[in-house]
Amino acid sequence: MKKNIYAALAAAMSVGAAHAQSNVTMYGIIDAAVEYYNNADAAGNSLTRMPSLGGGMFPSRLGFRGTEDLGGGLKAIFQLENGFAPDTGTLGQNRLFGRQAWVGLQGNWGQVTFGRNYNMLNISTYDVDIIGPSQYGLGSLDSFIPNGRSDNSVAYRGTFSGVTVGGTYSLGRDTSAAGGPAGTGCAGESATDAIACREWSALLRYDAPGYALISAYDRIYGGVGAANGLNSSDKTDSRAHVAFFLKQNDWKLGVGIINRNNEGSATQPRSNLVYIGAAYNVTPFFTLDGQIAKLDYRATNNDSAQVLIRGVYNLSKRSAFYVAAGRVNNSGAAAVALSAGGSVGAGLNQTGIITGIKHTF
C-alpha cells in the first residue's frame, strides 16, 4: 500500500515537473553615437557631444525575460530591463531596472502583469512612429511619449482575431524625481488622498494584412510636490492618440495625432502633436526613413516643427551603422531642442546631425 502511495506521489511530482518548463533570456541593445547641433544656447553657440539619453536608433538597455510553463496553456512571465548611458556607463532612469520591472501570468486570454509597466500611450506608438524612440524623434517634442512607464501598476493586454485591447492602472505613477525626463516625483499611494499621483491608460488596436488602426488614451493625476505644475490631485494631464500605418513589401507609412490637455500649465494647456513618417528599403541592407511633426499649442504661438531623415545600413542581423539629420523650427518663445536632453536658445531654430553604431544581443 505504501509503495503504491509513493509511486502515485512520484508520478504526480514528475507531471508537475514536466509542466514547469522554464527559460530565461538575457538580451540588450547598445547604441552609441556622436552628434553636432547649432544654437545650443541663447548666444547661438554650437555643441558636439556623445548623447547620454539615447542613440540614433534606440536607447541602450540590458534586460532579462523569462517564462515558466504552468500547464493548461498558462505561463508565468517576468521582465527586468534597465537603461544605461553608453557614453559613461551609468544607469538610466536613476533605477536598477528603470525601463521595465514586472511579473505576471499569460494565457490564451492575454497577459496581466504587476510592477513597473509601459503605459498604453507608449505602446500605441509601436510601428506607427517610424523613427521610434531615438535621439532625434517625437520624444524631443514630448518626452512623455518614449518615457511612458508607470510604477505600482497593473497592466493587461490581449489580442483576439486581430483586435488588441489593453489597459494599465497605477496606484502611484512615479516614485522618483530624478529619473530623467520621466521623473516627476509623484509617488502616490496616499491614505489621505485616494487619487493623488494615480494614472490609467487604455489601448484599442486593429491589425489587418498591410495596415493597422490604433487608438490610446492616458491620464495622469497630480499630487503634492509633483513636477510640471501638477501639484494637486484635482489637476490632470491627458493625452489621446489616434493613428494608422500602411505596410507593403519594401515601404511603410505611419500617421498620427496626439491631443493633450495639461491642467498643470496655466498658459498653454491644450496642444496637438501631428506627425507623418515613411520608411523605404532601398536595398536588403539599406533603409531610408524620415518623419515630419508639428507641436501646436492652441493658446499661444510657441509652436515647434520638426523634420528628420535617417539612413540605416545593416552590417548584419544584429549590427547597423546609421546617419541621421534633423531640424526644429521654434516659434515665439518655444525652446524645443532637436536632440533629446539637449538645449536650444528660446525662439531659435536648430539643425543637427548624428551618426553611430547599434548592436543588439
Side-chain angles (χ1 to χ4, degrees):
M1 183 63 180
K2 287 184 179 180
K3 291 182 178 180
N4 291 337
I5 293 175
Y6 293 152
L9 288 173
M13 291 174 66
S14 66
V15 171
H19 283 311
Q21 298 298 312
S22 62
N23 67 83
V24 177
T25 301
M26 183 179 76
Y27 65 93
I29 299 175
I30 181 165
D31 188 335
V34 176
E35 66 174 341
Y36 163 88
Y37 55 81
N38 63 4
N39 290 332
D41 54 26
N45 292 312
S46 301
L47 179 66
T48 301
R49 68 170 188 166
M50 293 189 71
S52 295
L53 290 182
M57 293 185 68
F58 296 100
S60 298
R61 67 201 67 179
L62 175 66
F64 305 86
R65 64 168 66 96
T67 64
E68 181 185 20
D69 187 354
L70 302 177
L74 187 65
K75 294 181 180 180
I77 56 176
F78 78 88
Q79 189 160 0
L80 299 170
E81 183 179 280
N82 73 23
F84 64 92
D87 60 329
T88 60
T90 55
L91 285 176
Q93 298 87 37
N94 196 41
R95 304 162 190 255
L96 177 59
F97 294 109
R99 295 181 60 84
Q100 299 184 76
W102 51 257
V103 64
L105 294 173
Q106 183 183 72
N108 56 14
W109 41 267
Q111 69 176 44
V112 60
T113 57
F114 299 78
R116 180 167 167 82
N117 290 280
Y118 279 106
N119 62 39
M120 293 299 145
L121 183 82
N122 176 285
I123 291 172
S124 72
T125 63
Y126 299 174
D127 300 317
V128 71
D129 179 6
I130 299 296
I131 296 295
S134 63
Q135 193 69 28
Y136 297 176
L138 293 182
S140 299
L141 299 172
D142 185 352
S143 62
F144 184 81
I145 297 171
N147 294 291
R149 308 175 185 93
S150 304
D151 295 339
N152 307 302
S153 63
V154 181
Y156 168 80
R157 192 160 26 133
T159 300
F160 311 93
S161 302
V163 177
T164 299
V165 294
T168 65
Y169 190 85
S170 169
L171 298 171
R173 59 184 169 81
D174 185 9
T175 61
S176 171
T184 61
C186 204
E189 299 184 299
S190 170
T192 59
D193 192 341
I195 64 171
C197 302
R198 299 205 173 188
E199 177 182 6
W200 65 271
S201 67
L203 169 74
L204 179 63
R205 170 172 172 157
Y206 175 71
D207 285 271
Y211 73 94
L213 305 173
I214 305 162
S215 64
Y217 187 86
D218 182 273
R219 171 169 286 187
I220 62 177
Y221 293 82
V224 175
N228 303 323
L230 295 173
N231 50 18
S232 65
S233 61
D234 60 348
K235 294 181 180 180
T236 63
D237 189 358
S238 304
R239 292 170 175 83
H241 183 207
V242 178
F244 73 91
F245 75 84
L246 303 173
K247 185 176 183 181
Q248 297 292 331
N249 298 323
D250 291 327
W251 62 270
K252 183 178 180 180
L253 174 72
V255 180
I257 179 172
I258 299 176
N259 175 266
R260 182 180 182 185
N261 184 13
N262 178 17
E263 295 176 353
S265 173
T267 58
Q268 44 189 32
R270 301 186 69 86
S271 64
N272 289 316
L273 174 53
V274 183
Y275 65 94
I276 178 170
Y280 179 67
N281 296 326
V282 180
T283 74
F285 303 101
F286 179 68
T287 300
L288 187 65
D289 51 28
Q291 192 162 271
I292 58 175
K294 183 175 183 180
L295 177 59
D296 179 24
Y297 288 102
R298 299 187 187 179
T300 72
N301 66 342
N302 300 327
D303 304 328
S304 301
Q306 181 191 72
V307 180
L308 307 171
I309 187 168
R310 181 176 64 187
V312 180
Y313 186 82
N314 293 300
L315 302 167
S316 68
K317 290 183 178 181
R318 296 182 178 273
S319 299
F321 169 78
Y322 57 83
V323 178
R327 180 175 174 86
V328 168
N329 289 344
N330 287 307
S331 302
V336 171
L338 171 66
S339 181
S343 60
V344 65
L348 297 181
N349 302 327
Q350 189 168 72
T351 302
I353 186 169
I354 186 170
T355 182
I357 297 174
K358 183 263 307 180
H359 177 76
T360 62
F361 58 90

